[in-house]
Amino acid sequence: MNIYDVTKFNNVTELLGIGFYHTSVELYKHEFSYGGHDFDCSGIVCVEAGNNVGLTLKERLPMGITYYSEDEIDETIR
């Protein structure tokens, strides 16, 4: 899971225990997320890993491995 800062004010608000973040799940060099993009649609989107425009990567959290192929994951998302 990739966690992105949505605003630079998180540097201050984190001291209060709050912040504004966007998350995505990275699989096979693609990131899947809900929203957080420049497209004229809503729902789950897929972008090239590291291509969340205007957002700063804060942290990557390992979530484990998958036994599904890239094609199986694409079909599930569709």
Side-chain angles (χ1 to χ4, degrees), residues 3-54:
I3 302 170
Y4 292 89
D5 281 318
V6 173
T7 176
K8 293 179 182 180
F9 292 112
N10 281 351
N11 295 335
V12 175
T13 59
E14 283 181 345
L15 298 173
L16 302 171
I18 60 173
F20 299 98
Y21 306 99
H22 172 74
T23 60
S24 68
V25 175
E26 185 175 335
L27 294 164
Y28 298 108
K29 299 183 182 179
H30 292 89
E31 289 188 49
F32 298 89
S33 64
Y34 188 86
H37 55 77
D38 292 334
F39 303 126
D40 291 334
C41 63
S42 64
I44 297 173
V45 296
C46 176
V47 296
E48 185 178 332
N51 194 24
N52 277 294
V53 177

